[in-house]
Amino acid sequence: VQLPALRQPVFTQGLLHRPRLLILDEPSTGLDPAARADLWRYLADMRAEHGVTVVATTHLLEEAAS
């Protein structure tokens, strides 16, 4: 996932210890469409492979629907 330079360390720190619950506030803000799709695909993989519960806020209807 290609995240903007200022957000990448924060996102990486949040995943460092493989949390069981991940709360994200507008995680795709500032990402281009391809990076946004990569982010959501990665989060879906984390849910499937590691059982992580992901709670995210978004203002984009297409993200909220999926």
Side-chain angles (χ1 to χ4, degrees):
V1 176
Q2 296 295 325
L3 296 174
L6 295 176
R7 296 189 66 163
Q8 189 172 6
V10 173
F11 190 79
T12 303
Q13 287 174 353
L15 299 176
L16 188 60
H17 301 288
R18 298 223 175 163
R20 294 177 61 186
L21 173 63
L22 187 60
I23 301 172
L24 303 169
D25 182 26
E26 302 270 351
S28 63
T29 299
L31 298 179
D32 62 67
R36 186 170 44 232
D38 287 344
L39 171 68
W40 291 111
R41 195 170 17 257
Y42 178 76
L43 293 173
D45 290 346
M46 285 195 59
R47 286 188 357 242
E49 293 176 17
H50 303 288
V52 175
T53 300
V54 178
V55 177
T57 62
T58 182
H59 67 280
L60 300 173
L61 293 178
E62 64 271 11
E63 286 182 358
S66 60

